[in-house]
Amino acid sequence: MQRKTIVIMITCAILIAGGIVYAADHMDAPAVKGQTTDITDLYVFQGKNTDNMVFVGNSQGLLAPSATGAASFDPNTLIQFKIDNNGDNVEDLVIQAIYKDGKVNFFGLGRPPLTGTRTKIAEANFLGSVDVTPYGASHPIVGYGSYGIKFFAGPRDDPFFFDLDQFHAILGGTATGFNNPGKDTFAGTNVLSIVVEVPKSLLHAQNGKLGVWLTTSSQEGGSAM
Amino acid sequence: MKSLRSSLLSSFLPLVAAVLCLAACKKDQHFPQSPYFDQADQMGRPAINTVFIKAADKDRFNQTTPSLMAAAFGSEMKSSLLGVNPGFTTNLLGLNADQFIGVLSTDVLNASTKGKTTFYDGTNVLTGRALGDDVIDVELTLVFGGPDGSANPGLTSDHVNGNDAPFLADFPYLAQPH
């Protein structure tokens, strides 16, 4: 075995000594692990209608099929797509999603009430809502909002794929590299997804460029009744 | 007089408190206790917090807004990069360690509203993230693959090249749950 490979393996093993799971963002940090705030992935891509952009925000990952029916969005967890459209890495637009009484309500696409890590719901900018698609439904429920925006909320297959188990074996020193073919650790698992399709014209991207990040936030002061 | 007031107060107080509580409870059904929300988790690009941030700092990273990340975590992320790959020189994008961390340390997902959206397809770099993009192979290659992507061949692909379920052609694009 090459000395360099050994060094890499040892340093990897040291780095993950805390037992941190390497994934996209699944269970990335102590405060969110196993919580409704735990983000798994963000996707941003051009829609089937190429005049639109699609935003996918996934959370609560590694749901076995047997656990998916009981998984639920949380009325105290605000999910936001934050969008910088002028290149300064500060959000100029937000799309906010929050669960209430079987639906997810969406707000935003104006200037956010606040920027940064503390925020409020943009109540004045209601975009629409969608019923959460129940686990086991034969078709996804699609909501239609203002400006031709489309919404989805509910359980989906986790689109992320990675041989996480073999990576752990490499880090743990019981393997020297990945297998070919590898085995997708996320196969057969589900996430809770929020999907929003928005006309590009609403995003006002300077020079066609956006910076996007997905956040989850917990309501201050405990639970709503 | 003072005693009358206090006795009135003491007899009415429970009622007042009950009414206030009921009103608050009723109001809570429409407007929860505080209108403010505090950030718990965030991500831009896949696996940034998981790979480059030390265990003790992972929550703090999640609660730092992107415009402040590079100053707060840039040097830590560079140490992590050189920790996992002490032989890092430059990568397939021609970036040295400082330049690569300069890109990664502001954790936002870049996306283009003009044309193809992909994490990296050999031509387009960071114009979005499509559902089928093999982002792990891209990141492994950029971290371990050296200037032409050929270094450490056992570590630059996990050989899982796609999702286990086909995506939909139409909204909401993600596959039905298992």
Side-chain angles (χ1 to χ4, degrees):
Chain A
M1 191 184 302
Q2 289 184 358
R3 188 178 161 274
K4 193 164 69 174
T5 308
I6 296 170
V7 170
I8 290 169
M9 283 167 48
I10 291 171
T11 49
C12 287
I14 291 167
L15 279 174
I16 62 126
I20 296 299
V21 176
Y22 175 115
D25 202 73
H26 308 61
M27 302 186 184
D28 60 313
V32 295
K33 187 176 179 179
Q35 305 297 310
T36 60
T37 48
D38 190 19
I39 291 168
T40 65
D41 268 298
L42 165 67
Y43 300 82
V44 180
F45 54 91
Q46 187 167 259
K48 181 184 179 188
N49 175 345
T50 57
D51 290 336
N52 295 343
M53 289 295 274
V54 180
F55 298 84
V56 176
N58 291 341
S59 58
Q60 303 188 50
L62 293 166
L63 291 169
S66 60
T68 304
S72 166
F73 292 105
D74 182 345
N76 301 313
T77 295
L78 177 65
I79 299 169
Q80 298 185 89
F81 299 98
K82 298 200 166 192
I83 303 165
D84 163 32
N85 62 17
N86 61 9
D88 63 358
N89 300 310
V90 176
E91 61 271 40
D92 302 289
L93 306 170
V94 289
I95 301 169
Q96 301 178 321
I98 190 158
Y99 174 84
K100 188 176 171 64
D101 300 335
K103 291 177 185 293
V104 172
N105 295 311
F106 293 85
F107 302 86
L109 284 176
R111 293 202 75 80
L114 295 161
T115 59
T117 56
R118 188 171 190 246
T119 195
K120 296 164 79 169
I121 294 174
E123 306 267 5
N125 296 319
F126 179 66
L127 294 171
S129 66
V130 64
D131 288 337
V132 174
T133 296
Y135 181 59
S138 56
H139 298 287
I141 299 170
V142 179
Y144 297 88
S146 319
Y147 317 112
I149 301 173
K150 284 191 269 193
F151 307 109
F152 171 83
R156 302 307 280 174
D157 156 69
D158 187 346
F160 186 60
F161 49 92
F162 180 32
D163 191 343
L164 177 63
D165 292 337
Q166 184 65 15
F167 192 70
H168 281 163
I170 295 167
L171 298 179
T174 59
T176 57
F178 289 103
N179 295 320
N180 191 0
K183 184 171 179 298
D184 178 9
T185 308
F186 298 83
T189 69
N190 298 319
V191 291
L192 293 189
S193 294
I194 299 284
V195 188
V196 188
E197 182 160 338
V198 178
K200 289 177 177 176
S201 59
L202 296 177
L203 301 172
H204 307 291
Q206 260 184 30
N207 305 314
K209 292 181 177 177
L210 300 172
V212 185
W213 60 107
L214 176 68
T215 70
T216 54
S217 303
S218 300
Q219 188 153 22
E220 293 178 9
S223 59
M225 292 183 71
Chain B
M1 192 64 191
K2 193 179 174 189
S3 67
L4 177 62
R5 185 192 285 172
S6 59
S7 73
L8 270 174
L9 263 180
S10 60
S11 53
F12 278 105
L13 212 53
L15 182 62
V16 170
V19 168
L20 282 176
C21 181
L22 276 175
C25 293
K26 190 164 191 294
K27 192 179 174 192
D28 271 354
Q29 291 175 352
H30 298 94
F31 298 102
Q33 285 160 304
S34 162
Y36 291 97
F37 291 75
D38 294 314
Q39 189 165 308
D41 200 357
Q42 75 180 326
M43 80 175 286
R45 305 184 186 105
I48 300 302
N49 193 11
T50 43
V51 175
F52 293 100
I53 301 298
K54 292 184 296 193
D57 289 338
K58 287 179 188 294
D59 284 319
R60 192 163 60 87
F61 183 82
N62 277 335
Q63 293 154 12
T64 300
T65 205
S67 57
L68 303 177
M69 281 176 179
F73 298 101
S75 61
E76 175 176 336
M77 292 175 73
K78 186 181 173 188
S79 299
S80 297
L81 173 67
L82 298 177
V84 294
N85 185 1
F88 189 94
T89 53
T90 61
N91 64 21
L92 197 55
L93 299 177
L95 302 176
N96 66 27
D98 284 321
Q99 292 165 331
F100 188 34
I101 292 303
V103 173
L104 296 184
S105 62
T106 300
D107 187 25
V108 306
L109 179 64
N110 309 88
S112 170
T113 58
K114 296 178 175 174
K116 187 173 180 185
T117 42
T118 177
F119 199 63
Y120 178 63
D121 66 357
T123 306
N124 302 287
V125 181
L126 288 175
T127 59
R129 180 183 178 191
L131 294 173
D133 286 348
D134 194 346
V135 294
I136 290 294
D137 278 14
V138 171
E139 292 185 344
L140 289 170
T141 299
L142 293 178
V143 169
F144 293 112
D148 64 2
S150 66
N152 301 304
L155 296 172
T156 51
S157 174
D158 69 344
H159 302 292
V160 177
N161 301 322
N163 191 37
D164 59 319
F167 300 119
L168 311 182
D170 292 295
F171 190 88
Y173 306 103
L174 283 76
Q176 288 273 96
H178 299 276

